Amino acid sequence: MRPAPLACPFHFDPLSPEQLADPYPVYARARAEQPVFYSRAHGFWVVTRYDDVVAVLRDHESFSSAAATRSAPAAPHPEVAAALAKGHPIGPTLTDSDEPVHRRLRGLVNRAFTHQRVAAHEPLVREAAAGLIDGFARDGHADLIERFAWPLPLVAIGAILGVPREDLEDLHRWSYDWLRLQQATDPIPEQVACARSVVAMQRYFLDALRERAACPRDDLMSGLLAAELEGAEPLSEVEAMRVPMNLVIAGHVTVTRAIGNAVVLLLEHPGRLEAMLSDRDLVATAVEEVLRMESPAQGLFRTTTRDVTVNGVELPAGARVMVHYGSANRDEAQFPDAGALDLHRENVLRHVAFGKGIHVCLGAPLARLELRIALPLLFERLPGLRLRARDPTERDTIFFARGFKHVHAEWEPPA
C-alpha cells in the first residue's frame, strides 16, 4: 500500500488575502524547504523550482495536459454538470489536449500566429489602444482594467477572428465565467450561471462558424474551416468552435492581467518607469520582466500518466500536479535577485510565463505585441498617471491567475 503524501509544512492558499497580496514568500519557502509538496486542501502536488517546472512541462508523455486549467479537485456538481450537458464537451482544446490531438490542432492554427502575421496586426492593435484611451483620457480618472486592459486583447483577437465589436462585452463576461468555473469556488447557483455562460459562448461560435461555412470571409474562423494539414482530418465543427473560445479566454488570462500588473509594478518603481519611457529599447525587456515577476498565469495543471519522480519525490500515476510558473520565475537559482525589477536582466527570456515545451502559448507573440504597444502609450497619453489614493486596486480571485480586478488610476486631464 502506497504511503500517504507528507503534509505541506506551510500554508498554501493562493486565494487567501495574505497570498493574494504577496504569495512570493510562501513560494520561496517552498523552493527552499519542500520544492515538490502535496496540498491536502486542494488535492494536488505543487512543483515550485524552475528546473523541475521546465522538466515537467517538457515531459508530455509522463504528464498529461488533460484538465490543464481546472484547479477544482472534484467533478462538477450535478446541477452544474446538467447545465454544461446542454452544450458540448469543453475539451480537448489547444491548452488541455495530449498528442496526437494537440499536434493536429496546433498544426492547423499555427499559421495564424507566426511572428510575421502577428507583426502585420500592429497597426490594428495600435489604433485599438489609442481609441480606447481616447474614450477616457479627458475624464482624468478610470478603472484601467475595465476601460483598457480587458477590451484591448479582445479587440485584437476579435478582429483576427472576425468578431463584431458590439459582441465583445458578451465574450468578456462568458470568458470570465469560464475561468470561475474552472476553480468551482462560487456557490452552486453561481456555478450553474457560469456553466450557462460557457454553453452560450459555444453556441455563439458555432453560429459564427456556420455563417462562414455558408459565406466564407477573410478571417481566422473561415480559415479554420478551410485549413488542411497533411495526414490529418479536417476540424469538425465542434473542434473548430473550441479554437476561438480558447484564444479569447487565453487573452483574458494573459494580456488583461499583464497590463494591470505592469502598470502597478512600474508605478511602484518610478526610476524604472522613467528609464523605460526615455529608452524605447527597454520596452521589450520591461514587458518580459513584468511577465516574469508577476506571471499572469501562475501555473497550469498536469496529471501523471505513470509513477514518476520529480526532485526525489515519487508521484503516483493519476496524481494531479500544479506546475507553478509564478514560483519558477522567482527562483533565485535561475534569476539572481529575482524579486527586483531589472530592465537589463540578460536571461529574462528564460521565464516560463508562457509555458515551455509543446504547450508553449500559441498567442505569446500577439500578447507581447499588445503589451509593447499598450504600456508606453498609457503613460504617454495619461500624464501624471498614478493610482487613486483611496482603494486603488482590487486583486482578482482566479486560482491559477494573478492580476487585478480593478486598477483605479488618475492623471492630469488635457485642458
Side-chain angles (χ1 to χ4, degrees):
M1 183 175 179
R2 189 185 299 274
L6 293 174
C8 175
F10 37 80
H11 180 60
F12 171 73
D13 182 7
L15 296 182
S16 68
E18 300 79 14
Q19 290 179 40
L20 279 174
D22 184 9
Y24 299 109
V26 171
Y27 303 156
R29 185 179 171 190
R31 291 192 302 273
E33 297 178 15
Q34 196 167 329
V36 180
F37 67 85
Y38 184 75
S39 171
R40 292 190 188 279
H42 299 100
F44 54 69
W45 297 82
V46 184
V47 179
T48 62
R49 287 184 181 170
Y50 180 93
D51 287 343
D52 296 332
V53 164
V54 171
V56 170
L57 292 175
R58 287 181 171 159
D59 185 0
H60 59 271
E61 293 184 353
S62 301
F63 296 90
S64 166
S65 292
T69 58
R70 185 168 176 80
S71 57
H77 185 278
E79 291 182 40
V80 178
L84 287 171
K86 294 181 180 179
H88 299 273
I90 292 177
T93 68
L94 280 164
T95 304
D96 61 8
S97 57
D98 293 318
E99 302 295 28
V101 174
H102 174 265
R103 186 185 306 115
R104 174 170 165 264
L105 290 174
R106 194 173 184 107
L108 290 166
V109 182
N110 248 342
R111 301 166 195 172
F113 289 92
T114 64
H115 287 279
Q116 183 177 2
R117 289 200 173 191
V118 168
H121 295 300
E122 180 170 350
L124 180 153
V125 175
R126 196 171 293 280
E127 180 183 1
L132 289 169
I133 294 174
D134 286 342
F136 58 79
R138 293 187 177 276
D139 298 340
H141 62 89
D143 177 354
L144 294 181
I145 303 298
E146 186 69 23
R147 301 297 299 274
F148 187 82
W150 80 250
L152 179 62
L154 271 190
V155 169
I157 196 64
I160 294 170
L161 291 169
V163 171
R165 285 209 182 189
E166 58 266 26
D167 295 345
L168 297 184
E169 183 78 39
D170 285 338
L171 291 175
H172 168 57
R173 185 180 72 256
W174 295 334
S175 297
Y176 194 73
D177 285 352
W178 185 94
L179 291 170
R180 290 168 57 198
L181 194 61
Q182 299 309 298
Q183 64 188 37
T185 53
D186 293 309
I188 297 304
E190 293 185 29
Q191 291 186 47
V192 171
C194 290
R196 290 172 179 155
S197 287
V198 171
V199 173
M201 195 174 185
Q202 290 180 335
R203 290 173 177 166
Y204 174 88
F205 280 115
L206 281 173
D207 289 344
L209 287 163
R210 286 163 185 163
E211 289 177 8
R212 283 154 179 80
C215 184
R217 306 179 191 175
D218 184 19
D219 59 32
L220 179 56
M221 282 195 280
S222 296
L224 286 173
L225 295 175
E228 293 184 3
L229 190 66
E230 186 175 351
E233 291 284 328
L235 290 178
S236 70
E237 188 179 64
V238 171
E239 287 176 318
M241 169 270 290
R242 293 186 188 122
V243 172
M245 278 190 67
N246 195 201
L247 295 174
V248 167
I249 293 165
H252 278 66
V253 175
T254 52
V255 182
T256 296
R257 284 161 182 77
I259 290 173
N261 292 343
V263 168
V264 173
L265 199 55
L266 288 167
L267 288 175
E268 291 173 348
H269 296 80
R272 309 291 198 281
L273 172 59
E274 184 178 351
M276 183 192 79
L277 295 176
S278 61
D279 182 357
R280 288 312 178 85
D281 289 339
L282 291 178
V283 172
T285 309
V287 165
E288 302 300 334
E289 183 69 343
V290 167
L291 289 167
R292 181 195 68 81
M293 284 194 70
E294 291 280 14
S295 304
Q298 285 280 283
L300 293 180
F301 299 88
R302 298 291 187 264
T303 303
T304 54
T305 61
R306 55 196 177 199
D307 292 358
V308 63
T309 300
V310 180
N311 202 331
V313 178
E314 294 184 11
L315 308 184
R320 291 281 286 157
V321 180
M322 183 178 187
V323 195
H324 211 296
Y325 303 169
S327 175
N329 282 336
R330 294 289 188 110
D331 191 339
E332 296 274 354
Q334 183 64 223
F335 304 105
D337 199 11
L341 181 67
D342 183 356
L343 302 191
H344 299 278
R345 190 178 296 278
E346 293 182 356
N347 70 340
V348 67
L349 286 174
R350 293 180 64 84
H351 71 72
V352 292
F354 292 120
K356 293 286 184 183
I358 65 170
H359 281 279
V360 67
C361 179
L362 182 71
L366 180 60
R368 287 181 161 112
L369 174 68
E370 291 166 347
L371 291 166
R372 289 197 300 265
I373 290 171
L375 296 184
L377 197 61
L378 278 170
F379 287 101
E380 289 170 357
R381 293 286 310 278
L382 307 175
L385 180 64
R386 57 195 178 272
L387 296 179
R388 190 177 70 182
R390 181 176 58 85
D391 299 326
T393 63
E394 179 184 345
R395 282 283 175 188
D396 204 351
T397 51
I398 299 298
F399 188 94
F400 66 89
R402 180 163 174 80
F404 294 95
K405 187 178 291 185
H406 301 290
V407 173
H408 296 287
E410 55 192 16
W411 56 89
E412 310 307 327

